[in-house]
Amino acid sequence: MLKKLLILILLGVVGASAYLYWDYSKKRTVITPYPYSFLNSFDEKFQKDHAKEIQEAENAKILIVGDRMGKTLDPYTDNIRSQFQGLLKTPPTIYNWSADNEGLFRTIHKIKMLKKLPPIIIYFGGTSELFEKKFEIDDQKKILKNFKTFDDEKLISLIITFPWVSKALYRDIHYQDLGEFKEYKSNLAANAKLNEKQLTFKLFEYEVREFVDYIKDKKSNLVFITAPLNLEAEPKEVCAHAESEDVIGVQQEIEAELKEGAYKMAFPKALELSGVTFSNARSFYLLGRAAQGVGDIKTARDALMKATVFDCANWRGNAVYNAIIKGYAQKNQINVLDFDQFMSSKLGDEGLFQDEIVPQNVFYQSMVSELGDILKKILSVNEEGVSK
């Protein structure tokens, strides 16, 4: 009997050990616990297919990166360069390496392919962070737990010293293996979509931190430009928990009053509705338009900013991404050109944007002029026209 018991115990120990080894071996060795990674095959193909771009990026004096917002600077590169006329013998070379739909995580990965970084890197993006899938929402708690471990100074020091320890300290998750861009359209339920946005914000915080730290370590200078938000563009999708027929009925009533110009009637209703339908983008949008109508621009701006945050269609940037960029830039003494604040301060003026995303040319001209001042300061151009 004792012999059988000992055999059973031994089998149990062996089985448990085998399971623990299997569980440990299938985990990935990582330092920063991002729920995604890029395939080696993608890196090899990218470096081969984009060899000319990589070379131009490395040789530029000023490199622009980002998503579609970065690409909107293409028509203004000559304008930026001309601001150095008479100040430098040779105006700085500028290369725009921005790409449509490129989230910050792709920009970081691309930057790390450069053998050397240009003296100045301009980042203008933050509008495409959920254009492709970076994680499984079912792993949300595990991902957050992993980053809590990452933020523990003692534990992350241990992981950096002995990377294999990460297999034991980080929770196992479903990694997204990234290659060429694949568009992602979320089919999640309302509350899950909000969780998806919140987790994306959290990841963006760590990505901004990594981006800043990497560029500083390489002795380059970073300039952030916040993405301007067209606050008067309607949200495209509501993903709130408060989406009842009663709520929709009140929203339609407020909408009708706004069309008739009855702002004083619509405003108190919209204010009350926004207080009981928290996270409903449509309610905040209606409050913003009503507040505009009664001349309460501060309330209008705050409400319309919230409408961008809770818009679950993920077709644009929002106030949270800009706040993360500004907060981290201020904390680390990074230059930030707050294009969004400049545009939002003009809320109510006619003709601010060309479309739902891009501001009018006149505002770009003003922004580019301010950008030029920042760049000249970084390059330390003196009055005699010689770079220090």
Side-chain angles (χ1 to χ4, degrees):
M1 183 67 182
L2 181 60
K3 186 177 180 181
K4 289 183 179 179
L5 182 60
L6 290 173
I7 291 173
L8 288 173
I9 293 173
L10 180 61
L11 289 174
V13 170
V14 170
S17 299
Y19 173 79
L20 290 173
Y21 176 77
W22 172 82
D23 184 59
Y24 175 85
S25 62
K26 74 185 182 73
K27 289 183 177 181
R28 301 190 183 189
T29 299
V30 296
I31 303 297
T32 307
Y34 292 125
Y36 56 83
S37 62
F38 287 85
L39 296 166
N40 290 332
S41 58
F42 167 75
D43 290 355
E44 292 169 3
K45 186 175 186 302
F46 186 91
Q47 290 172 346
K48 180 180 178 181
D49 294 347
H50 300 268
K52 185 178 178 182
E53 294 176 18
I54 291 172
Q55 185 176 19
E56 290 193 63
E58 288 175 343
N59 294 334
K61 192 83 170 181
I62 299 171
L63 178 64
I64 302 169
V65 293
D67 53 26
R68 57 187 167 181
M69 298 312 303
K71 289 188 70 175
T72 64
L73 289 178
D74 269 339
Y76 303 96
T77 53
D78 286 342
N79 189 319
I80 296 171
R81 194 179 294 109
S82 68
Q83 294 184 60
F84 291 88
Q85 192 110 23
L87 298 175
L88 289 173
K89 292 180 180 179
T90 304
T93 54
I94 302 173
Y95 183 64
N96 194 339
W97 208 18
S98 305
D100 286 333
N101 306 318
E102 183 171 283
L104 177 56
F105 60 102
R106 276 196 182 268
T107 298
I108 293 170
H109 191 70
K110 198 164 68 172
I111 287 286
K112 288 183 177 181
M113 292 185 185
L114 302 180
K115 294 178 182 177
K116 64 172 183 174
L117 298 191
I120 299 175
I121 295 175
I122 299 170
Y123 176 76
F124 190 17
T127 70
S128 306
E129 301 310 310
L130 257 177
F131 274 37
E132 61 182 306
K133 190 171 184 176
K134 298 196 295 183
F135 55 83
E136 292 289 347
I137 191 60
D138 291 343
D139 285 332
Q140 182 181 21
K141 290 182 179 180
K142 292 180 181 179
I143 293 169
L144 293 175
K145 175 64 178 175
N146 286 346
F147 275 105
K148 189 174 181 180
T149 299
F150 177 80
D151 288 334
D152 187 305
E153 291 186 10
K154 292 182 180 178
L155 293 180
I156 192 57
S157 295
L158 185 62
I159 289 172
I160 292 172
T161 306
F162 305 105
W164 53 268
V165 173
S166 65
K167 290 187 175 186
L169 295 180
Y170 288 146
R171 302 285 183 88
D172 189 29
I173 60 172
H174 300 87
Y175 286 93
Q176 301 298 310
D177 292 317
L178 304 177
E180 298 295 336
F181 172 82
K182 292 182 180 179
E183 185 175 1
Y184 168 60
K185 292 185 178 180
S186 177
N187 295 315
L188 297 173
N191 288 342
K193 275 196 175 182
L194 278 178
N195 291 336
E196 185 177 58
K197 287 180 75 73
Q198 290 169 356
L199 185 52
T200 303
F201 295 151
K202 191 68 175 177
L203 291 175
F204 190 71
E205 285 185 40
Y206 288 96
E207 290 159 358
V208 169
R209 182 199 299 186
E210 180 183 9
F211 189 48
V212 169
D213 290 346
Y214 185 78
I215 291 175
K216 287 176 70 175
D217 287 346
K218 296 296 181 179
K219 310 302 181 186
S220 183
N221 297 279
L222 177 61
V223 178
F224 280 118
I225 303 176
T226 58
L229 305 175
N230 187 347
L231 298 180
E232 294 185 332
E234 296 187 32
K236 297 187 184 299
E237 183 179 345
V238 173
C239 58
H241 59 279
E243 259 290 276
S244 66
E245 289 185 8
D246 289 342
V247 168
I248 294 172
V250 176
Q251 288 176 338
Q252 290 173 341
E253 185 180 324
I254 294 170
E255 207 166 17
E257 290 171 346
L258 292 177
K259 287 180 180 179
E260 295 173 1
Y263 301 112
K264 289 184 178 180
M265 292 179 63
F267 180 68
K269 293 178 184 177
L271 188 61
E272 181 180 1
L273 183 64
S274 68
V276 297
T277 58
F278 180 73
S279 76
N280 187 308
R282 188 75 188 161
S283 294
F284 283 122
Y285 176 75
L286 293 174
L287 172 60
R289 298 314 298 261
Q292 272 186 279
V294 298
D296 188 346
I297 300 302
K298 183 181 184 304
T299 298
R301 189 179 294 113
D302 290 346
L304 294 172
M305 285 286 187
K306 289 178 181 177
T308 71
V309 173
F310 295 112
D311 183 350
C312 277
N314 299 316
W315 58 281
R316 57 177 170 180
N318 66 56
V320 174
Y321 294 124
N322 285 339
I324 291 170
I325 286 172
K326 289 189 288 186
Y328 209 74
Q330 184 177 15
K331 182 179 177 182
N332 291 272
Q333 298 181 316
I334 302 294
N335 286 288
V336 58
L337 203 166
D338 198 352
F339 197 15
D340 179 49
Q341 197 281 328
F342 174 75
M343 294 303 300
S344 67
S345 69
K346 298 183 178 299
L347 180 64
D349 291 359
E350 291 291 330
L352 294 178
F353 285 76
Q354 300 176 34
D355 53 29
E356 291 184 316
I357 300 293
V358 183
Q360 294 286 2
N361 174 63
V362 64
F363 302 115
Y364 266 92
Q365 294 288 355
S366 179
M367 183 270 283
V368 165
S369 177
E370 187 177 346
L371 176 61
D373 291 338
I374 293 173
L375 297 177
K376 284 183 281 187
K377 184 178 179 181
I378 293 174
L379 292 174
S380 301
V381 179
N382 64 22
E383 292 181 359
E384 285 73 29
V386 181
S387 180
K388 295 179 181 178

